[in-house]
């Protein structure tokens, strides 16, 4: 059975590259109209263009999710364009890695503002049309470090752990409205971020992954697609770990 999303409208934040771009493209391939949100306007247009060239329907939007005042305006723009919003994928995220003793207040605040408060603002705005429709799918992109912690990433790990608690709370509050909320926790994925890792760090990481390789953005996107579909209609408040076995036994 094939997952199809015809008639659905999706918003993917941080969709200009990497995991977010793969999610946006796969949702479009499944038939959804996709609003592509990126902090960089050129990246948003590039993803939207790729979707349209493949026969899909996309809307390019540029905004920094850390500017939470833009969330309501973004949702209003989508509603004016397509009259509904069914799916929200909170993928936008940043890192400001350093050991805790060296971490500056602005490093902490920037990561929490984007990774956590941004998801809060866009979820709050998206819930209004979803509640009217009595149908919605919210997927928050967390991380395995939100489950395990990671040296040098106190701010990032805290934001991703908080996103999991946020996910569970939204699931509890919105279940009666037929709105599900789940999280996906990727492990080490081949993106621009991981390609800059020193070779010795990559080698050490690969030794810890039972499948012996980094994942691909598309493999995360398939998990998101499932959670956005009718096949996942009885799943809410859950964390889907997609990490090649990295956290097995931890």
């Amino acid at each position: 059975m094939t997952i199809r999303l015809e008639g659905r409208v999706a918003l993917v934040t941080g969709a200009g590259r990497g995991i977010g771009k793969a999610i946006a493209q796969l949702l479009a391939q499944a038939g959804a109209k996709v609003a592509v949100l990126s902090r960089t306007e050129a990246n948003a247009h590039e993803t939207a263009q790729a979707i349209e060239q493949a026969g899909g329907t996309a809307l390019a939007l540029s905004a920094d999710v850390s500017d939470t005042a833009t969330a309501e305006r973004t949702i209003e723009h989508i509603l004016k364009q397509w009259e509904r919003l069914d799916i929200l994928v909170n993928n936008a995220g940043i890192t400001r890695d350093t050991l805790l003793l060296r971490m500056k207040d602005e490093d902490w605040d920037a990561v929490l503002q984007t990774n956590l408060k941004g998801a809060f603002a866009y979820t709050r705005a998206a819930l209004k049309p979803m509640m009217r429709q009595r149908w919605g799918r919210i997927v928050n992109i967390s991380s395995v470090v939100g489950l395990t912690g990671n040296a040098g990433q106190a701010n990032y790990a805290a934001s991703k752990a908080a996103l999991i608690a946020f996910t569970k709370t939204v699931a509890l509050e919105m279940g009666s409205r037929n709105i599900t909320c789940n999280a996906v926790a990727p492990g080490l994925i081949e993106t621009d971020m991981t390609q800059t890792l020193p070779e010795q760090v990559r080698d050490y990481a690969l030794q810890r992954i039972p499948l012996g390789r980094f994942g691909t953005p598309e493999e995360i996107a398939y998990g998101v697609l499932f959670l956005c579909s009718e096949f996942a209609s009885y799943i809410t408040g859950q964390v889907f770990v997609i990490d090649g076995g990295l956290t097995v036994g931890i």
Side-chain angles (χ1 to χ4, degrees):
M1 296 174 67
T2 303
I3 294 176
R4 300 302 305 167
L5 297 175
E6 276 86 2
R8 301 299 184 191
V9 172
L11 166 61
V12 183
T13 71
R17 59 181 183 171
I19 291 172
K21 183 175 183 177
I23 292 169
Q25 290 180 301
L26 189 60
L27 294 181
Q29 287 174 23
K33 297 175 181 176
V34 181
V36 175
L37 183 70
S38 175
R39 181 172 52 185
T40 305
E41 186 175 358
N43 289 349
H45 282 287
E46 183 179 328
T47 300
Q49 186 177 35
I51 288 171
E52 290 172 344
Q53 287 176 345
T57 303
L59 174 65
L61 300 170
S62 178
D64 184 346
V65 299
S66 68
D67 179 10
T68 56
T70 65
E72 294 282 352
R73 294 197 297 271
T74 300
I75 302 304
E76 288 173 4
H77 188 135
I78 295 167
L79 294 175
K80 286 180 181 178
Q81 182 79 13
W82 290 324
E83 299 183 343
R84 61 186 299 119
L85 179 63
D86 304 284
I87 295 164
L88 170 65
V89 182
N90 287 306
N91 170 75
I94 63 170
T95 58
R96 294 288 186 273
D97 296 350
T98 190
L99 294 175
L100 185 59
L101 285 172
R102 299 173 184 169
M103 189 172 291
K104 299 175 182 178
D105 285 2
E106 51 264 36
D107 295 328
W108 178 273
D109 291 344
V111 170
L112 270 291
Q113 185 77 9
T114 295
N115 298 7
L116 182 59
K117 193 172 182 181
F120 152 72
Y122 277 81
T123 299
R124 182 176 60 183
L127 283 175
K128 296 173 185 177
M130 289 181 180
M131 289 173 69
R132 288 196 297 269
Q133 297 160 188
R134 298 192 69 82
W135 199 98
R137 297 284 187 268
I138 299 169
V139 182
N140 297 317
I141 306 302
S142 180
S143 169
V144 292
V145 304
L147 300 169
T148 66
N150 195 37
Q153 289 192 310
N155 47 5
Y156 185 76
S159 72
K160 294 302 187 178
L163 198 55
I164 289 172
F166 176 71
T167 297
K168 293 177 180 292
T169 301
V170 174
L172 289 169
E173 292 186 4
M174 289 295 118
S176 64
R177 303 300 183 99
N178 197 32
I179 298 169
T180 67
C181 185
N182 293 287
V184 170
L188 288 161
I189 307 301
E190 288 285 7
T191 63
D192 293 344
M193 191 182 301
T194 55
Q195 286 174 359
T196 63
L197 291 174
E199 187 174 351
Q200 62 270 28
V201 174
R202 288 178 62 91
D203 290 344
Y204 175 71
L206 286 170
Q207 291 172 14
R208 297 170 58 206
I209 300 172
L211 289 183
R213 63 176 178 85
F214 285 11
T216 67
E218 290 73 22
E219 287 172 315
I220 304 304
Y222 279 114
V224 174
L225 175 63
F226 169 71
L227 291 172
C228 292
S229 74
E230 290 291 357
F231 294 113
S233 59
Y234 201 56
I235 300 171
T236 194
Q238 303 306 306
V239 183
F240 276 53
V241 178
I242 305 177
D243 69 350
L246 174 64
T247 56
V248 172
I250 291 180

